[in-house]
Amino acid sequence: MVNKKELIVIGGPTASGKTGLSISIAKSLNAPILSADSRQFYKEIKIGTAKPSLEEQDGVPHYFIDSHHLEDTVSSVRFEKEALQLLDKLFEKHNFVILVGGSGMFIDALLFGTDNLPKDEAIRAKLNEHYKNEGICFLLNQLKRKDPIYFDQVDKSNVPRIIRALEVITITKKTFSEQRTGKKKIRNFNHNIFVIDHPREILYNRINSRVDQMMADGLVKEVESVKHLSHLQSLNTVGYKEIFSFLKNEFDKEEAVELIKRNSRRYAKRQITWFKRYENAHWLEYSNVKEMSAQILEKYNA
């Protein structure tokens, strides 16, 4: 057993099987689960976020699922603060806590901290207005001109991150890249990262099947229920933006489904790239939950 409390991170791309594995580990170690999925925080959306049902949770306490409303945005900075406060309480009773999800920026925030850079709501609102009226190409051109180094590094489809960089640049009159400290904060717990790894073709088949199941479960109806909030960044995400376009008659349902599948596959590729940044991560070749659980538990003599 470890001397220091331990946060066990179960990561991987969308549809890789993180939920089943994390619940198996949590039950074996009597550990609660924190979600690091940036969409599962929100109460109003369920189908398109692949939240584990109460049956799937199987009695394991889950946190940061249905914890906030869509209009109460959870940034990585806020997640860091709230999750650390929660961990302090959970580690009073538990030696292990599980962190599960595919949102690398939120995992990084909890493990290593976020840069304490300035904010300005008015500037951010203006940048969001530019995005709404002129599109992402306008923002990318601004970023390329003002900070070519960060422009080369940033995920070109991650609107909140692009806007955040431009916000900081506007406030400080310095490039975003030179202000990112990269310094890791000291935590009072250890961590281990386990990443589920699938052959690409198998992962893509799992993604396609999940999208078909979401449609069968009523994704269109769910998106209709939050249509009045379509301007929120938290809904500018795969599975929702394509159905919003379908509801505006920009293309038919079959085209929307194919776009969701394509964009989900692209998102999975970006997730895999993010997890490859972790030098000491343990990559688990997907087999089944029992075998993968045994590999993880072996490290804790459990």
Side-chain angles (χ1 to χ4, degrees):
M1 200 61 73
V2 292
N3 295 322
K4 214 174 183 183
K5 302 292 186 174
E6 178 108 5
L7 185 68
I8 300 174
V9 182
I10 307 294
T14 184
S16 59
K18 299 183 293 294
T19 295
L21 179 58
S22 64
I23 290 172
S24 174
I25 298 299
K27 293 184 75 172
S28 295
L29 296 177
N30 186 31
I33 291 176
L34 272 63
S35 173
D37 185 310
S38 61
R39 305 186 308 170
Q40 291 188 355
F41 304 146
Y42 301 114
K43 299 181 180 186
E44 295 87 348
I45 50 179
K46 177 179 68 173
I47 297 171
T49 63
K51 286 177 186 171
S53 65
L54 287 177
E55 289 76 19
E56 288 175 304
Q57 292 177 29
D58 200 13
V60 175
H62 280 66
Y63 300 90
F64 289 100
I65 290 181
D66 289 336
S67 53
H68 299 74
H69 290 286
L70 278 167
E71 293 178 284
D72 185 24
T73 305
V74 181
S75 65
S76 58
V77 174
R78 180 178 179 184
F79 179 72
E80 176 190 9
K81 180 181 178 182
E82 293 184 4
L84 284 174
Q85 291 173 344
L86 177 60
L87 280 179
D88 283 343
K89 296 178 181 178
L90 294 177
F91 278 138
E92 290 178 3
K93 298 180 179 179
H94 302 275
N95 289 321
F96 300 97
V97 175
I98 314 296
L99 180 70
V100 57
S103 299
M105 187 166 61
F106 286 79
I107 293 172
D108 275 13
L110 187 52
L111 297 184
F112 312 121
T114 51
D115 290 316
N116 189 25
L117 295 173
K119 301 176 184 178
D120 189 307
E121 296 288 345
I123 291 173
R124 191 181 316 149
K126 188 174 181 180
L127 288 166
N128 274 299
E129 192 67 22
H130 279 304
Y131 169 65
K132 183 178 179 181
N133 295 330
E134 299 164 80
I136 194 169
C137 287
F138 173 84
L139 299 179
L140 286 171
N141 287 334
Q142 292 286 311
L143 185 61
K144 186 175 183 179
R145 181 171 61 83
K146 295 179 178 180
D147 190 348
I149 293 176
Y150 189 65
F151 173 82
D152 288 339
Q153 299 171 343
V154 73
D155 173 359
K156 305 298 189 293
S157 64
N158 192 318
V159 177
R161 201 170 301 176
I162 293 164
I163 287 176
R164 176 64 178 141
L166 288 170
E167 176 188 359
V168 172
I169 292 168
T170 304
I171 296 168
T172 63
K173 311 302 180 187
K174 298 178 181 178
T175 65
F176 186 64
S177 52
E178 69 181 291
Q179 297 181 77
R180 298 168 74 210
T181 64
K183 293 180 180 178
K184 297 179 180 179
K185 296 179 182 176
I186 303 299
R187 300 305 194 204
N188 62 356
F189 54 83
N190 292 321
H191 73 265
N192 257 311
I193 302 173
F194 300 89
V195 185
I196 301 174
D197 190 22
H198 287 270
R200 191 64 55 92
E201 184 178 350
I202 292 175
L203 177 63
Y204 285 0
N205 286 336
R206 290 173 64 96
I207 289 171
N208 292 341
S209 296
R210 171 177 280 185
V211 173
D212 288 336
Q213 187 61 53
M214 286 177 174
M215 293 300 294
D217 289 343
L219 180 60
V220 172
K221 187 174 181 180
E222 176 173 277
V223 176
E224 284 179 325
S225 73
V226 293
K227 189 167 61 173
H228 61 293
L229 299 173
S230 62
H231 60 283
L232 296 176
Q233 285 300 325
S234 49
L235 287 173
N236 181 36
T237 184
V238 178
Y240 292 87
K241 59 185 180 181
E242 296 87 355
I243 299 297
F244 285 138
S245 294
F246 159 65
L247 294 174
K248 290 188 287 186
N249 297 313
E250 293 178 6
F251 36 72
D252 63 31
K253 185 183 290 187
E254 289 72 22
E255 289 175 303
V257 170
E258 289 308 310
L259 280 173
I260 295 171
K261 291 178 179 179
R262 185 199 70 183
N263 292 335
S264 296
R265 294 192 298 266
R266 290 178 175 177
Y267 177 53
K269 287 176 68 176
R270 294 196 299 272
Q271 289 175 298
I272 292 167
T273 298
W274 186 288
F275 285 115
K276 285 181 177 177
R277 295 165 51 252
Y278 299 126
E279 294 180 1
N280 298 318
H282 308 279
W283 287 76
L284 303 172
E285 181 179 343
Y286 185 86
S287 50
N288 56 59
V289 168
K290 185 176 180 180
E291 289 183 17
M292 292 189 296
S293 295
Q295 292 180 57
I296 294 174
L297 294 172
E298 185 180 3
K299 295 186 177 296
Y300 301 104
N301 298 317

